[in-house]
Amino acid sequence: MNSRLMARIPNGWILLACIGLLALNLRGPFVAVAPVVDIMQVDLGFSPVMLGVLTSIPVLCFSLSAPLASLAARKFGAEFAVTLTILGVLAGVILRSACGPLLVVLGTVLIGLAITIGNIAVPLIIRRDFSPLRQGTAMGIYTAALNIGSFLTSMVTAPLAEVAGWRAALASVGILAVVAIAFWMIAVGPRSALVPSDAVVPGGQEHAAVKGSGWITAGLTAGFAGQACSYYAVTAWLPSYLNDELGMSASEAGAGSSIFQILAIVGGLGVPFAAKYFSTTTAAVTLGLLWTAVPAGLLLAPELWWLWSTCGGIAQGGGITLIFIAIIRLARDQASAGRMSATVQGVGYCFGAVAPPLVGWVHDVSGSWTPALLVILASVLTFFICTTLSVRLVPKGR
C-alpha cells in the first residue's frame, strides 16, 4: 500500500480506510431498494413476486457466484479484485437507475456479482496484509462499515426520492463508489489497481493444518447459514411484526427495526476487543445467547421489542465478524482461506436468500407470527450450536 501523496500516513491506516470505504459499498446498493419499493412498483409495473425476486437477487448472487468470485480473487490479485468490485457496483447502480424494467434487473444482478467479489477479497486482504494481532480489529471495522453503509443508505434514500425521484435516489449510492475508487487508486497506484496479478495466494501467514479442518469448515458453514437466515428474516419481517402485534405505524416500525441494523456496529467492533481477553468459545456463546433472545423475547415479551432488537443487532454484527475471524486464523494459507470463505459464504447466503420468503409463507399459512418466530429460533440455534463448536480451536490473540 504505497502512495507518495500518503507517505506520512502509516500503511495500515490507509488500508483500513480503504477497507472501510469499500465496505460502505457492499450493502447499501441493495438495501437502498427497500425504502422506494412501492414507488418502483407503480412506475415499473412490477408484481409483488417480481419485487421480492428483485430484493433477493443480490443475496442469490452472493451464494451462486461465490466460487467464481474466489477464483477471480486468487487469479487476478486482491487489488484488482477490489477494483472489479467498486467499478462493478458503480456500473450496476447506473444501469439500475436507467429506463426500463430489464435494466433494473440487469443492474441489480451486476451489483450482486460485484459485491460477491468484494465479500471474498476483503478477508483475504486482511489475512495477507495485517498482523495476527490486528486482523480481528480490521475485520471488526469492515463489519461495522457494512452496517453503517446499510443504515445511511436506508435513512437517506426515501427522503431523496421524494425530492428527486427514485431513479436519482438509487443512483446517488454511486457517489460512495466514486469516492472509494478514487481513494483506492491513490492508495495502491493505478498499475496495481488496474492490472491483474497473481498476488493473493502467496501472501499471508502460513499456519499448520488444523486437525479436522473439513468438519470445522462444515460447522462454520452451518453457523453462517444460521446467521444469514436469522439476519435476512428479521430484516425482512420485523417491521411487519411490530405493525401487526404492537400496532405501530409503518414509519414507527421502520425506525424501530433500524435499531437492529445500527447496533451491529457494536457487535462488529466488540468481538475483536473481547477476543483479546476471552476465548472465541466465550464470544460464540455470548453471541448465541443474544441471538436467541430475539425470537424468544418476541414470543414471550413482545412489549420489550427494543431490548430484543438491541440484542439481535449486537449479535448479528458480532456473528459475521467472529466467523470471518475464524476463517482467517484457521486457514492454512491464502488459497485455503479463499476456498473456505467461498464455501461458507456460498452455502450460507443460499439459506439467507430462502429465509424471508419461507418465514413469510409460514406466517401466511398459519395466520400467526408464532410459527414464523419458531423458524427464526431454529436458525438462531443452528448458528449458536455450530459456531460454538467450530471456533473452539481459534487461539486467543493469534
Side-chain angles (χ1 to χ4, degrees):
M1 298 290 298
N2 297 316
S3 172
R4 293 180 180 179
L5 296 177
M6 300 183 179
R8 296 183 179 180
I9 303 176
N11 291 342
W13 292 9
I14 298 173
L15 183 55
L16 277 177
C18 288
I19 288 173
L21 285 172
L22 173 63
L24 292 178
N25 290 275
L26 297 188
R27 293 297 181 269
F30 73 84
V31 171
V33 172
V36 296
V37 69
D38 293 336
I39 307 174
M40 292 178 65
Q41 182 177 12
V42 173
D43 194 14
L44 298 173
F46 280 166
S47 66
V49 173
M50 187 61 205
L51 286 174
V53 171
L54 187 68
T55 56
S56 297
I57 284 175
V59 186
L60 288 172
C61 289
F62 296 169
S63 172
L64 299 178
S65 60
L68 291 178
S70 176
L71 180 64
R74 295 199 308 271
K75 294 297 183 182
F76 299 145
E79 285 76 13
F80 187 73
V82 170
T83 302
L84 285 178
T85 297
I86 303 173
L87 292 181
V89 167
L90 180 58
V93 165
I94 295 173
L95 191 63
R96 184 179 63 181
S97 301
C99 296
L102 179 60
L103 292 182
V104 170
V105 174
L106 292 177
T108 303
V109 171
L110 182 55
I111 290 171
L113 294 174
I115 291 176
T116 306
I117 297 175
N119 288 342
I120 299 295
V122 171
L124 293 178
I125 292 174
I126 291 174
R127 187 183 188 278
R128 184 193 67 183
D129 292 342
F130 286 92
S131 67
L133 290 176
R134 297 186 64 193
Q135 288 171 351
T137 300
M139 185 57 67
I141 290 174
Y142 166 68
T143 305
L146 287 177
N147 290 280
I148 291 172
S150 298
F151 179 76
L152 292 177
T153 303
S154 62
M155 293 294 289
V156 170
T157 303
L160 186 58
E162 293 179 0
V163 176
W166 69 267
R167 296 184 188 278
L170 293 185
S172 67
V173 180
I175 295 174
L176 291 175
V178 172
V179 174
I181 193 62
F183 199 89
W184 185 245
M185 290 287 186
I186 295 173
V188 306
R191 179 175 178 81
S192 295
L194 299 175
V195 179
S197 62
D198 189 13
V200 171
V201 174
Q205 295 80 24
E206 297 291 327
H207 300 156
V210 177
K211 184 178 180 180
S213 58
W215 286 108
I216 291 174
T217 300
L220 290 175
T221 301
F224 192 83
Q227 160 85 13
C229 281
S230 306
Y231 170 76
Y232 286 106
V234 173
T235 298
W237 294 111
L238 182 58
S240 298
Y241 172 88
L242 295 176
N243 178 269
D244 293 345
E245 296 296 310
L246 299 177
M248 290 187 178
S249 66
S251 59
E252 290 173 337
S257 64
S258 67
I259 297 174
F260 176 74
Q261 300 295 337
I262 194 62
L263 281 174
I265 298 172
V266 177
L269 297 176
V271 164
F273 177 78
K276 296 179 181 179
Y277 305 98
F278 306 100
S279 68
T280 50
T281 302
T282 301
V285 170
T286 302
L287 294 171
L289 291 173
L290 289 172
W291 248 133
T292 304
V294 179
L298 292 176
L299 282 169
L300 300 175
E303 67 278 4
L304 296 178
W305 61 269
W306 54 271
L307 178 59
W308 316 132
S309 293
T310 299
C311 293
I314 296 172
Q316 59 103 345
I320 190 172
T321 303
L322 179 64
I323 290 173
F324 281 132
I325 288 175
I327 293 172
I328 289 172
R329 293 180 179 175
L330 292 177
R332 182 174 57 86
D333 51 30
Q334 287 291 86
S336 60
R339 289 191 294 269
M340 185 183 295
S341 182
T343 300
V344 170
Q345 294 190 58
V347 176
Y349 279 124
C350 181
F351 282 91
V354 171
L358 174 62
V359 171
W361 177 78
V362 171
H363 171 258
D364 289 341
V365 170
S366 65
S368 169
W369 281 108
T370 298
L373 288 173
L374 290 176
V375 172
I376 296 175
L377 179 61
S379 68
V380 164
L381 292 176
T382 300
F383 163 80
F384 191 167
I385 296 170
C386 295
T387 303
T388 300
L389 293 176
S390 301
V391 302
R392 290 177 300 164
L393 295 179
V394 178
K396 181 174 67 175
R398 170 171 164 176

